[in-house]
Amino acid sequence: MTMQCFGFHQGATPEDFSNLPPEQRRKKLQQKVDELNKDIQKEIDQRDALTKMKDVYTKNPQMGDAASVGQKLAEIGHNIEKLRFEVQKFEGWLAEVEGRLPVRNDNSRRQSGLYETQNTTTANNCAQDRESSPDGSYTEDQSQETEVKVTPTEFDDDFDDEEPLPTIGTCKALYPFSGENEGTISVAEGEVLNVIEEDKGDGWTRIRRNEDEEGYVPTSYIEVYLDRNAKDS
């Protein structure tokens, strides 16, 4: 009976992994695209080998039947077309998911780069001032200038990695949710939690119980109360 239940669960899994939270769905889709591309490469390698074999058989009929090899080449060509169609399908779903995922980390990296550029410009201006100073302390201060440039960037990166998403509201669980998939979080009926990311249109809301527990739950399982001030900011 256990095997029958397991098989039903596997068969019920949507092809586009839409039952998973956004981040986990993106990983599964990317993994599928990579697997399909490997399969395509295998078919291409086999096609190249058979093409050479067919050329040999055509020139030397006594060594083999070129026509039978041609049939195999046609089958491989059909397989490659099917695999490429599958890749396009999964890449379309992947692009859709990536368009909905938050880009907070990318923005943080861009801001860190901006701060680094500003610090570098300021340090270079200070260096020019020291070149014209009469005390001859330019060489000693140049090492200090390097330290000033590097330290803020490292601090920004550490701060960005540790900074949690702000709370934008609260929610109440209407039904219990087990949270068995990676990236999800279990909730009990009637439990009140903090909302840190709205539903992006994929049916999942990101919530936080405490500093160490956060994850996605189906939006239909909760009643959301957004803080308007937090949302506007």
Side-chain angles (χ1 to χ4, degrees):
M1 179 175 288
T2 303
M3 292 181 64
Q4 291 177 350
C5 292
F6 178 77
F8 175 79
H9 176 73
Q10 288 294 101
T13 301
E15 185 183 16
D16 61 354
F17 303 108
S18 57
N19 62 315
L20 298 176
E23 294 178 0
Q24 282 64 46
R25 185 186 180 201
R26 180 187 62 79
K27 292 178 182 178
K28 287 289 187 180
L29 290 172
Q30 183 63 61
Q31 182 181 358
K32 187 68 176 179
V33 170
D34 294 341
E35 291 175 356
L36 288 170
N37 282 327
K38 288 181 181 179
D39 291 340
I40 290 175
Q41 188 57 50
K42 289 179 182 178
E43 295 288 342
I44 291 175
D45 293 341
Q46 186 176 359
R47 182 188 63 184
D48 293 344
L50 288 176
T51 300
K52 294 178 181 178
M53 183 183 297
K54 181 182 178 182
D55 292 340
V56 172
Y57 290 171
T58 301
K59 296 176 182 178
N60 304 281
Q62 70 279 7
M63 296 183 65
D65 184 8
S68 63
V69 177
Q71 293 178 353
K72 292 181 179 179
L73 284 172
E75 293 176 3
I76 291 177
H78 181 64
N79 291 340
I80 291 176
E81 288 182 6
K82 288 174 60 178
L83 288 169
R84 284 176 174 166
F85 175 79
E86 288 293 305
V87 168
Q88 290 178 354
K89 180 171 65 176
F90 280 95
E91 284 181 341
W93 287 328
L94 181 61
E96 179 184 354
V97 173
E98 289 179 338
R100 292 176 178 173
L101 286 176
V103 293
R104 185 173 63 89
N105 291 337
D106 292 336
N107 289 335
S108 299
R109 282 195 291 269
R110 283 196 293 268
Q111 290 174 359
S112 296
L114 177 62
Y115 296 151
E116 182 180 4
T117 302
Q118 293 174 344
N119 289 332
T120 303
T121 303
T122 303
N124 288 339
N125 292 337
C126 293
Q128 293 175 357
D129 293 340
R130 285 196 296 271
E131 285 180 357
S132 59
S133 64
D135 58 5
S137 59
Y138 172 70
T139 303
E140 179 181 354
D141 289 343
Q142 189 175 20
S143 61
Q144 296 176 358
E145 171 196 335
T146 304
E147 293 177 0
V148 171
K149 267 196 306 187
V150 175
T151 303
T153 306
E154 293 176 348
F155 175 81
D156 288 343
D157 290 341
D158 292 340
F159 183 79
D160 290 338
D161 292 340
E162 296 176 0
E163 182 184 9
L165 287 172
T167 299
I168 60 174
T170 59
C171 68
K172 181 180 179 180
L174 302 176
Y175 315 99
F177 178 65
S178 59
E180 296 176 355
N181 290 322
E182 180 186 357
T184 61
I185 183 173
S186 62
V187 296
E189 182 178 352
E191 186 176 3
V192 177
L193 306 103
N194 293 321
V195 176
I196 57 177
E197 186 179 308
E198 287 186 80
D199 186 339
K200 302 294 185 182
D202 47 27
W204 295 89
T205 299
R206 192 172 180 182
I207 63 174
R208 177 187 295 132
R209 176 176 289 116
N210 52 49
E211 292 182 358
D212 299 323
E213 291 185 271
E214 65 177 53
Y216 289 93
V217 295
T219 305
S220 58
Y221 279 53
I222 59 176
E223 186 172 1
V224 178
Y225 310 96
L226 290 179
D227 183 346
R228 292 183 178 180
N229 294 331
K231 183 178 179 181
D232 293 340
S233 60

